[in-house]
Amino acid sequence: IHQKTIFESTVISVFSSYSQAGKTVYALNLGLSINRETHKSAIILDIRPNDNMHSMPQRLGLKDNYKIFDLSGVLANLAVATKDFIVKTAFGIDLLCINYQIEDESSVKKLLGILSLLINDYHYIVLDLPSVMDQFVFSVLNQSDLIHILTSPDPVDLKKTHHLIDRLKTDFSFQEAKIKIVINEYKFSKINYQEQRV
């Protein structure tokens, strides 16, 4: 039996309805800030569909010394497998890179199993979720204590985010108090004032 060492942990999902929202940088900074401010244990899960690249290891200064946990693989023991894939970083936070197969229901079950193991060992679990609205992502969002949704000030992005929140509330009965909207103007910082007004 896995010994529980942490008695209160928080699962925070970082999500955006479109890519290039600065989501991974935000998730990284959130994990680092939590560790620095609270001195409590934190792990970031860099979660991607099978064909997508992980960028978190590079941001944490890990060259090639990390492994990717493929949820579509056959596992004998989830607890042992999970421990093998966790990387301790020089920044005081841990990292776990995970791949999943879209439309694979067993991937969701395995990830939820991993989360139930991690809450025994970490105060904070930050999930950097892919910007896709598939069943896998919605199932994970539904298991989160808090959701940070990144959007830009662009009306199209704000509308998408509004629809996403409505869906979380109606389809999953998610409490609005658990959802935090982060408006990231990063996308606009690359263009000049005239272009912003267009």
Side-chain angles (χ1 to χ4, degrees), residues 18 151-158 182-188 196:
Y18 65 97
T151 184
S152 80
D154 183 71
V156 174
D157 295 333
L158 289 171
V182 180
I183 296 178
N184 186 2
E185 300 202 17
Y186 164 76
K187 190 163 123 177
F188 289 93
Q196 281 185 36

Side-chain angles (χ1 to χ4, degrees), residues 61-84:
L62 303 167
K63 297 272 187 289
D64 295 319
N65 50 343
Y66 69 95
K67 296 188 281 185
I68 296 170
F69 194 140
D70 186 357
L71 293 179
S72 54
V74 178
L75 301 174
N77 184 321
L78 192 63
V80 172
T82 302
K83 246 186 179 60
D84 281 350

Side-chain angles (χ1 to χ4, degrees), residues 28-39:
L28 174 59
N29 286 330
L30 181 64
L32 293 171
S33 299
I34 285 169
N35 177 259
R36 191 174 58 242
E37 303 296 325
T38 67
H39 303 292

Side-chain angles (χ1 to χ4, degrees), residues 186-198:
Y186 164 76
K187 190 163 123 177
F188 289 93
S189 64
K190 294 181 178 176
I191 57 178
N192 66 36
Y193 180 67
Q194 262 70 35
E195 289 174 309
Q196 281 185 36
R197 297 187 63 197
V198 174

Side-chain angles (χ1 to χ4, degrees), residues 1-105:
I1 287 178
H2 188 70
Q3 190 64 43
K4 188 169 177 64
T5 56
I6 303 292
F7 290 96
E8 194 174 345
S9 53
T10 306
V11 177
I12 307 168
S13 281
V14 179
F15 183 68
S16 173
S17 57
Y18 65 97
S19 58
Q20 306 300 315
K23 180 180 55 58
T24 297
V25 172
Y26 179 87
L28 174 59
N29 286 330
L30 181 64
L32 293 171
S33 299
I34 285 169
N35 177 259
R36 191 174 58 242
E37 303 296 325
T38 67
H39 303 292
K40 290 187 173 176
S41 56
I43 185 168
I44 297 176
L45 273 58
D46 184 354
I47 303 169
R48 298 283 166 262
N50 273 356
D51 54 350
N52 287 31
M53 287 283 296
H54 293 266
S55 65
M56 197 66 81
Q58 188 185 353
R59 293 173 194 280
L60 283 163
L62 303 167
K63 297 272 187 289
D64 295 319
N65 50 343
Y66 69 95
K67 296 188 281 185
I68 296 170
F69 194 140
D70 186 357
L71 293 179
S72 54
V74 178
L75 301 174
N77 184 321
L78 192 63
V80 172
T82 302
K83 246 186 179 60
D84 281 350
F85 286 86
I86 293 173
V87 181
K88 305 248 174 242
T89 74
F91 298 93
I93 56 173
D94 292 354
L95 175 68
L96 177 57
C97 291
I98 294 175
N99 273 5
Y100 71 95
Q101 192 74 45
I102 293 172
E103 305 300 324
D104 174 19
E105 284 180 30

